Amino acid sequence: MIQNIFKAIKAYFGAFQLISKLKLWNYFIIPILISVLTAITIGSLSYFLSDNIGHYISTLWKWELGKKTFEIVSTFLSGLLIIVIGLVLYKHIVMALSAPFMSPVSEKIEEHFKGKIHDHRKTSFQEQLVRGIRINVRNLLRELFFTIPILLLSFIPFIGIFSTVLLFFMQAYYAGFGNMDYTLERHFKYKDSIIFVKNNKGLAIGNGIVFMLFLLIPFIGVLLVLPLSVTAATTETIKKIKLKEVTE
């Protein structure tokens, strides 16, 4: 798995050049707009809600002694929770709504490496959107289910360090999962795609690690994260699919 993580990360180094070579930038205009608008919306909600939620939690403290400290801590913790959940929502919303635009990009990249493809599944714009929503809703629910207990563990001294790392890798896995599925939807049905990603966790995690790190770059991150991550995911996913076909 470690080897696949590094392969997925390495794939990013040629992504920008490949996009330019195949003249794919126009395909990313709408997904970039979706990414920016989603980031602004979730960022704004996080900003306004953190104080309100923090203030509400602070009212649970009925004593005057330590009330101010409790309010500061509750505001910080609620803000942290909203940021983490905001990141989870951001990536799944963007990847789901961008599916019909990313699938053609993935297909063009695959054709560049393998030639004209005749044996893959043909899907319409609507089918790609439904598939994207279905995959990302599934992943969103699973990620949220594990995020809350991991966040609670993060407040325990020493254990908190490991839980923070675990939370990052979990977010990376589901980000990479979504990026890989733009290619997988042409080759596998829904359940088979899930099995494929589970068997190639390293590729998903490696792709998602860079995806998550990109989001830490102000403004530029939300502009470039999808084009580069989808391109990098596609190049490695088609290699694995080809290897799977050869060994079967």
Side-chain angles (χ1 to χ4, degrees):
M1 187 172 79
I2 300 298
Q3 187 179 17
N4 280 338
I5 289 175
F6 283 109
K7 283 182 179 180
I9 293 173
K10 186 179 178 182
Y12 275 88
F13 290 100
F16 195 96
Q17 184 179 3
L18 184 60
I19 293 171
S20 300
K21 182 179 180 179
L22 301 182
K23 300 177 180 179
L24 299 175
W25 287 112
N26 288 339
Y27 288 89
F28 294 112
I29 293 175
I30 294 179
I32 286 174
L33 287 174
I34 293 171
S35 178
V36 172
L37 290 174
T38 304
I40 291 172
T41 302
I42 291 178
S44 300
L45 287 173
S46 300
Y47 177 79
F48 289 114
L49 287 176
S50 60
D51 285 341
N52 294 333
I53 294 174
H55 178 71
Y56 174 76
I57 294 174
S58 68
T59 60
L60 300 176
W61 187 268
K62 302 300 181 182
W63 304 272
E64 284 300 321
L65 182 64
K67 188 175 182 64
K68 190 66 178 177
T69 302
F70 185 79
E71 184 173 355
I72 293 171
V73 172
S74 60
T75 299
F76 171 77
L77 295 180
S78 61
L80 179 63
L81 178 63
I82 288 172
I83 288 172
V84 172
I85 293 177
L87 282 173
V88 173
L89 290 172
Y90 163 81
K91 67 174 183 282
H92 290 299
I93 290 171
V94 170
M95 288 191 290
L97 297 181
S98 299
F101 307 99
M102 294 296 94
S103 292
V105 169
S106 174
E107 186 173 352
K108 286 186 175 296
I109 294 171
E110 186 168 1
E111 287 180 357
H112 170 71
F113 287 106
K114 295 175 62 177
K116 192 68 177 176
I117 310 166
H118 300 286
D119 58 347
H120 64 74
R121 300 169 63 243
K122 295 290 185 181
T123 53
S124 65
F125 182 98
Q126 183 178 355
E127 288 172 327
Q128 290 163 2
L129 180 60
V130 170
R131 161 82 175 227
I133 292 173
R134 188 182 180 191
I135 282 286
N136 282 282
V137 167
R138 171 202 180 267
N139 290 348
L140 170 63
L141 294 176
R142 285 172 173 265
E143 193 169 350
L144 288 176
F145 177 79
F146 292 113
T147 293
I148 305 300
I150 292 175
L151 274 177
L152 293 175
L153 287 173
S154 68
F155 300 121
I156 302 174
F158 187 70
I159 295 177
I161 299 172
F162 295 99
S163 62
T164 302
V165 173
L166 177 62
L167 183 63
F168 177 80
F169 279 102
M170 183 186 69
Q171 289 220 14
Y173 171 73
Y174 284 111
F177 192 137
N179 289 326
M180 290 173 67
D181 194 63
Y182 298 132
T183 300
L184 296 177
E185 66 93 15
R186 290 192 304 279
H187 296 271
F188 303 110
K189 292 182 179 180
Y190 177 79
K191 290 184 178 179
D192 293 329
S193 294
I194 294 172
I195 293 170
F196 182 93
V197 177
K198 284 181 178 178
N199 292 336
N200 294 278
K201 288 186 180 73
L203 288 184
I205 293 171
N207 181 269
I209 285 173
V210 183
F211 182 100
M212 297 304 298
L213 292 176
F214 253 101
L215 295 182
L216 299 178
I217 305 173
F219 189 67
I220 295 176
V222 296
L223 292 178
L224 294 180
V225 66
L226 206 57
L228 297 182
S229 62
V230 171
T231 302
T234 301
T235 56
E236 291 305 310
T237 302
I238 59 178
K239 289 177 185 177
K240 284 293 180 182
I241 291 173
K242 185 177 181 180
L243 181 63
K244 183 176 183 294
E245 291 172 345
V246 170
T247 54
E248 285 182 347

